[in-house]
Amino acid sequence: SLRKLPLFGPVFDRVGHFPVYFKTSADGDFSVDKERQAIVAERVNEHIGKNGRIAIFPEGAINKTPITLQGFRHGSFSLVMQHKLRLYYCITVGNDISWPAQESLGGFPADIDVKFGSFPVDFEKDTVQEVASRLQTKMQQELDAMMAKRTAKKQK
């Protein structure tokens, strides 16, 4: 868990990070500890109720294959639907060069491309699953376009 790392844990606490408590640390197992998560959910709902903002990371883990998005977890999208939150996304390309997965510390020189966008949600018609699926498709299309542009630039 990133929260256990000397640098990240204290930073997460100071910026108001809301943790997700998984039942296990097994790779790919996103089952949450419902009791612990219920306490976090109360804090999140209170934060949003006071016009607070929140960023979600729908893949649920650091992606080991960054050119293909992992399946988006639905829990965060329930929050979006419940509170009728406007949905924005951010895609980055090149982080894996700056901080390769196998390295304990990153910071290598790299060009990192960033794309921000907004995503429409029809709160009267859309389901959590539809929003998660459509957003993942949209973000994968954007990511593919960013990768194609990067490849074309290298070939010049």
Side-chain angles (χ1 to χ4, degrees):
S1 167
L2 290 175
R3 291 186 75 76
K4 295 179 183 176
L5 294 175
L7 176 65
F8 288 102
V11 169
F12 286 166
D13 291 338
R14 284 171 184 76
V15 300
H17 178 263
F18 295 107
V20 176
Y21 293 108
F22 296 108
K23 286 183 180 179
T24 72
S25 59
D27 196 26
D29 183 354
F30 296 105
S31 303
V32 297
D33 180 329
K34 291 184 181 182
E35 283 184 32
R36 291 178 82 190
Q37 210 53 48
I39 296 166
V40 175
E42 286 178 28
R43 291 179 39 231
V44 167
N45 287 323
E46 180 181 332
H47 173 74
I48 292 171
K50 294 178 180 175
N51 291 320
R53 302 293 184 253
I54 190 164
I56 60 173
F57 299 87
E59 288 181 292
I62 295 172
N63 190 337
K64 293 181 176 100
T65 58
I67 62 169
T68 303
L69 297 175
Q70 298 177 86
F72 282 11
R73 315 304 310 154
H74 293 167
S76 301
F77 292 97
S78 296
L79 186 69
V80 169
M81 299 301 283
Q82 175 187 347
H83 292 280
K84 296 185 169 135
L85 300 174
R86 285 181 289 178
L87 198 51
Y88 300 93
Y89 60 88
C90 175
I91 304 165
T92 61
V93 173
N95 296 331
D96 57 318
I97 297 165
S98 178
W99 194 330
Q102 69 277 8
E103 297 290 335
S104 58
L105 189 61
F108 300 110
D111 290 329
I112 298 177
D113 300 316
V114 180
K115 166 93 182 205
F116 292 97
S118 62
F119 187 77
V121 177
D122 183 335
F123 296 105
E124 303 304 317
K125 294 180 182 175
D126 291 342
T127 66
V128 167
Q129 293 80 8
E130 289 169 341
V131 172
S133 176
R134 283 192 3 253
L135 179 59
Q136 181 174 351
T137 298
K138 171 69 173 168
M139 290 178 69
Q140 186 65 59
Q141 290 169 345
E142 296 282 1
L143 178 57
D144 292 345
M146 291 170 74
M147 292 301 296
K149 185 175 179 182
R150 185 175 270 240
T151 300
K153 186 178 176 182
K154 284 182 182 179
Q155 290 175 350
K156 286 185 178 184

